[in-house]
Amino acid sequence: MNRTLKILPEIANLLPPLSDSEMSGIESDIMQRGVISPLVVWNNVLVDGHHRYKVCKKHSLPFAVRELEFDSLQSAKLWAWQHQENRRNLTPFQRIEISLQFKPQIAEKAKKRQGKRNDLARTNIPATLPECREARTDLMDTNIGQNSARCSPQKTREELAAIAGVSHDTLAKAEYITEHADEDTKAKLRTGDTTINAEYKRLKREKRQQERKLQKQSEVSIPLDDRVLLTVSHIDEAIRHVEKESVDFIFTDPPYPKEYLHVYNDLARFAGHALKDGGSLLCMVGQSYLPEVLTRLHTELLHYHWTLAYLTPGGQAAQLWERKVNTFWKPVLWFIKGGKPSSWISDVVKSSVNDNDKQHHRWGQSESGMFDLMDRFVVPNQTICDPFLGGGTTGIAALKLKCRFIGLDADPETIVKSQGRFSTFLSELC
């Protein structure tokens, strides 16, 4: 049969074009065996068999057609896609890109099905009638009677995933990529030079980094006279002075000797009380009693997450005579109260060379090192706490990062000295 068929670009260009070698292969096969499968036609529009039709027209070869009925052009396109998908070696991203063209159509059908189920839920039609069985089954699945029907967007995505031959999760990631990735990335996904999962993770990471950058550049809304709260308090009484779940981060450096190990139990209780859900405790510790410290800090509310390395280069080495070690670093234990980290961080913190600042306290840390530690976690307007205030270095770092600071220490003299240090710093901001 020789017949002129109508070619619509919307259907003909649904799939990526064949390579010259692939097209030559089809032409060679048809020249040897003829057109085995009929071309699918709808109202004289060619739906399936464009390459076969091209070869037949070129060589004036006969072909058979199969007439089908569709309610719309989109329905014809969907049928064409579902019947051509397995003939082509497409990457997952290519299959998803094509399938997403049908999202409005699938969503509309899901909406109509939902409307029918809602109508049925308000009737008393017996479920034994054949025309009602399917609807009643859907009704049972969606629990409309209990007002907990599954939303159509979820079912739409599941149906699209099935059409594309991928998982629901992979489809969701690809949708995100189509909205946020540049054309170079999409081109690599189409050729298989990268993966959906890898690009999704990269884009999400870059988005978090950009959001964090914008947060750090945000204006400070905390009045100067409300940015610091200092209180004389031993760690075992700190709960009385800090409101429950009012702190985003605790950065602190408790004493290291063995006789002070008990304070870590008090610190764990205080952190469980003061931290918001998802808040973190960053605790600088010595290494001599590290196992004991870890055990004491881990509680039902507070969970160990990671250990950062705090480097102290230059002439800052602590000589541990009992262990015969000159140490140029110390652990910073990271505990989280519920939740998960909101952003990626690198786990090596560094003080400036020879920045061994002891002028404010004999156990004081350098401003450069504490700022480097804190800067990778906090954003402006958060609340930072140090229940072992010492010389107040954590407070200075918090103020530099545009945060509110709560400091506690058992030594009244330390509180007075830190207050003066903070006042000087804040006056320079005015």
Side-chain angles (χ1 to χ4, degrees):
M1 173 182 181
N2 288 318
R3 173 179 172 184
T4 300
L5 302 175
K6 186 176 181 180
I7 306 296
L8 296 182
E10 301 97 310
I11 300 178
N13 300 328
L14 190 59
L15 271 68
L18 293 176
S19 65
D20 291 340
S21 61
E22 289 173 323
M23 192 64 205
S24 295
I26 291 177
E27 185 173 7
S28 176
D29 183 71
I30 291 177
M31 295 302 293
Q32 292 179 22
R33 303 192 298 163
V35 179
I36 298 175
S37 301
L39 280 58
V40 176
V41 175
W42 165 57
N43 293 338
N44 207 49
V45 172
L46 182 58
V47 175
D48 180 44
H50 291 80
H51 300 111
R52 285 171 282 157
Y53 181 66
K54 182 177 180 180
V55 173
C56 290
K57 294 293 286 185
K58 177 181 178 181
H59 297 283
S60 300
L61 298 176
F63 57 86
V65 299
R66 178 189 173 196
E67 299 278 355
L68 292 181
E69 290 296 325
F70 300 100
D71 58 13
S72 66
L73 175 60
Q74 275 297 97
S75 295
K77 285 175 61 179
L78 179 57
W79 186 95
W81 166 229
Q82 290 178 307
H83 284 76
Q84 294 181 47
E85 178 183 6
N86 294 330
R87 301 179 192 171
R88 300 284 294 277
N89 186 25
L90 303 179
T91 65
F93 188 74
Q94 286 178 306
R95 297 201 305 270
I96 291 171
E97 274 193 309
I98 296 170
S99 299
L100 285 174
Q101 297 180 36
F102 306 104
K103 186 174 182 178
Q105 177 185 354
I106 304 259
E108 182 61 27
K109 287 184 177 180
K111 184 178 179 180
K112 289 180 179 179
R113 288 196 301 267
Q114 185 70 57
K116 290 180 180 179
R117 289 196 294 267
N118 289 339
D119 291 341
L120 185 61
R122 290 187 287 268
T123 70
N124 294 316
I125 300 174
T128 54
L129 293 179
E131 62 270 23
C132 299
R133 284 198 192 108
E134 182 179 351
R136 282 292 180 188
T137 301
D138 288 342
L139 175 60
M140 292 172 64
D141 289 342
T142 53
N143 294 318
I144 293 176
Q146 285 73 35
N147 296 319
S148 58
R150 285 182 291 178
C151 61
S152 60
Q154 176 76 8
K155 292 187 69 73
T156 298
R157 184 170 285 168
E158 290 174 356
E159 193 167 341
L160 283 170
I163 292 172
V166 298
S167 69
H168 173 277
D169 183 57
T170 298
L171 181 82
K173 291 177 179 178
E175 278 194 282
Y176 184 87
I177 291 171
T178 58
E179 295 175 8
H180 297 91
D182 55 32
E183 284 304 316
D184 286 342
T185 298
K186 294 176 185 177
K188 290 178 181 178
L189 284 162
R190 293 177 189 126
T191 58
D193 291 334
T194 185
T195 66
I196 291 173
N197 195 49
E199 294 306 320
Y200 175 79
K201 287 182 178 179
R202 179 183 65 81
L203 289 170
K204 279 290 190 178
R205 182 169 62 250
E206 290 177 355
K207 182 182 179 182
R208 286 192 295 266
Q209 290 172 345
Q210 182 62 25
E211 289 174 346
R212 185 173 176 79
K213 182 179 180 181
L214 293 175
Q215 285 178 317
K216 284 184 172 292
Q217 295 172 348
S218 65
E219 294 295 325
V220 177
S221 59
I222 307 171
L224 286 178
D225 58 357
D226 191 34
R227 291 182 65 182
V228 176
L229 173 64
L230 301 182
T231 303
V232 178
S233 174
H234 192 276
I235 185 62
D236 63 1
E237 299 175 341
I239 291 175
R240 294 167 43 198
H241 302 287
V242 177
E243 187 178 344
K244 185 177 182 180
E245 296 183 348
S246 62
V247 172
D248 295 287
F249 289 93
I250 296 173
F251 291 89
T252 193
D253 182 24
Y256 304 158
K258 187 175 183 178
E259 59 267 28
Y260 292 101
L261 282 175
H262 65 279
V263 302
Y264 291 94
N265 297 91
D266 298 323
L267 175 59
R269 284 192 291 272
F270 172 71
H273 163 84
L275 286 173
K276 300 175 182 177
D277 185 51
S280 291
L281 163 68
L282 281 301
C283 183
M284 197 173 293
V285 298
Q287 299 184 55
S288 298
Y289 308 104
L290 189 55
E292 292 89 338
V293 172
L294 280 165
T295 300
R296 291 168 185 264
L297 286 179
H298 188 89
T299 66
E300 184 177 348
L301 292 176
L302 207 61
H303 301 125
Y304 171 78
H305 185 71
W306 200 250
T307 299
L308 290 78
Y310 178 83
L311 308 185
T312 53
Q316 304 180 63
Q319 292 182 305
L320 304 181
W321 292 96
E322 182 181 346
R323 306 295 176 113
K324 293 183 172 58
V325 174
N326 288 328
T327 176
F328 288 88
W329 80 283
K330 61 184 66 178
V332 179
L333 304 180
W334 181 7
F335 286 79
I336 299 179
K337 179 184 175 181
K340 295 181 179 179
S342 59
S343 61
W344 288 76
I345 63 105
S346 57
D347 63 359
V348 177
V349 183
K350 189 175 183 180
S351 168
S352 298
V353 176
N354 295 326
D355 190 9
N356 194 16
D357 187 359
K358 303 298 181 185
Q359 61 174 315
H360 302 288
H361 195 278
R362 63 191 179 98
W363 289 337
Q365 299 296 334
S366 69
E367 285 188 23
S368 61
M370 190 56 69
F371 183 88
D372 187 36
L373 170 63
M374 201 176 292
D375 184 45
R376 63 196 63 212
F377 286 95
V378 308
V379 295
N381 297 313
Q382 290 185 317
T383 299
I384 312 302
C385 179
D386 183 356
F388 295 93
L389 179 62
T393 301
T394 48
I396 294 296
L399 295 176
K400 285 183 177 180
L401 291 165
K402 307 174 186 178
C403 291
R404 180 183 283 106
F405 180 71
I406 300 173
L408 304 96
D409 201 283
D411 181 6
E413 186 177 346
T414 291
I415 294 292
V416 172
K417 288 182 178 180
S418 294
Q419 181 65 65
R421 187 179 181 188
F422 296 147
S423 296
T424 299
F425 177 83
L426 291 174
S427 65
E428 293 174 352
L429 295 179
C430 299

